[in-house]
């Protein structure tokens, strides 16, 4: 009799450990494909012009062509798009942990705000001399960050008990 109760006790402990492990994980479901497409769109946006002749990766690496004015916010957004949009999102899809999902949501929120401000900054200038407006790459990158923000926030808010 005591052998059976020890086996049941061990089985109960194992089931509890599996339950605790499952509670820490998230399943993005079909939303994982949308996240992957948005990350791909961010990578493509890095190849497109963001301001004048300056492409996203030029701005990211600080290799802005002569004569093109790019403010600090587009530079910060280029960094945020790669770190939060690409790297954190890839990590979130790989690890599927609630903590990482929350970091993705917060990073994409900050990146989206910076991205919208970047578009605004490229449209306005501090002098009367017109500067290059936002290019298609910057707009695509901001839209992709907004899609990532919505998906990660939905996943983060879907945790049971919230």
């Amino acid at each position: 009799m005591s052998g059976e109760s020890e086996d049941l006790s061990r089985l109960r402990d194992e089931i509890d450990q599996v339950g605790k492990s499952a509670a820490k994980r998230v399943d993005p479901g079909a939303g994982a494909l949308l996240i992957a497409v948005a990350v791909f769109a961010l990578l493509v946006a890095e190849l497109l012009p963001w301001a004048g002749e300056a492409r996203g990766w030029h701005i990211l690496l600080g290799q802005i062509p002569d004569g093109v004015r790019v403010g600090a916010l587009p530079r910060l957004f280029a960094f945020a798009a790669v770190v939060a949009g690409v790297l954190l999102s890839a990590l979130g899809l790989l690890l599927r942990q609630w903590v990482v999902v929350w970091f993705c949501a917060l990073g994409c929120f900050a990146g989206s705000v910076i991205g919208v401000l970047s578009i605004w900054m490229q449209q306005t200038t501090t002098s009367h001399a017109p500067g290059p407006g936002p290019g298609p790459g910057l707009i695509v990158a901001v839209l992709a960050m907004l899609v990532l923000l919505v998906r990660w926030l939905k996943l983060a808010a879907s945790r049971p008990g919230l």
Side-chain angles (χ1 to χ4, degrees), residues 9-34:
S9 176
R10 275 188 253 146
L11 181 60
R12 188 174 300 120
D13 290 341
E14 186 176 336
I15 290 172
D16 289 342
Q17 288 175 352
V18 168
K20 288 178 185 178
S21 173
K24 294 179 183 178
R25 298 187 58 79
V26 62
D27 182 19
L33 180 61
L34 185 58

Side-chain angles (χ1 to χ4, degrees):
M1 268 302 208
S2 74
E4 286 180 21
S5 80
E6 286 178 22
D7 289 341
L8 286 176
S9 176
R10 275 188 253 146
L11 181 60
R12 188 174 300 120
D13 290 341
E14 186 176 336
I15 290 172
D16 289 342
Q17 288 175 352
V18 168
K20 288 178 185 178
S21 173
K24 294 179 183 178
R25 298 187 58 79
V26 62
D27 182 19
L33 180 61
L34 185 58
I35 291 170
V37 168
V39 168
F40 181 72
L42 271 176
L43 292 173
V44 169
E46 290 289 331
L47 301 174
L48 297 173
W50 280 27
E53 296 175 11
R55 299 183 184 281
W57 66 274
H58 289 147
I59 294 171
L60 178 67
L61 299 176
Q63 300 173 347
I64 300 167
D66 292 334
V68 177
R69 292 186 315 176
V70 178
L73 283 178
R75 293 173 197 214
L76 184 60
F77 176 66
F79 179 75
V82 170
V83 171
V86 176
L87 298 177
L88 266 180
S89 291
L91 194 64
L93 288 177
L94 287 174
L95 297 179
R96 298 179 185 222
Q97 297 285 322
W98 286 108
V99 172
V100 180
V101 168
W102 276 104
F103 277 117
C104 289
L106 293 173
C108 288
F109 172 75
S112 296
V113 170
I114 295 168
V116 170
L117 289 174
S118 296
I119 290 176
W120 173 75
M121 186 174 186
Q122 285 303 118
Q123 289 177 338
T124 60
T125 60
T126 57
S127 69
H128 293 290
L138 182 58
I139 294 169
V140 168
V142 170
L143 291 175
M145 282 297 285
L146 289 170
V147 168
L148 287 171
L149 169 64
V150 170
R151 289 307 312 160
W152 286 121
L153 277 178
K154 280 185 179 182
L155 279 173
S158 70
R159 183 175 184 176
L162 290 181

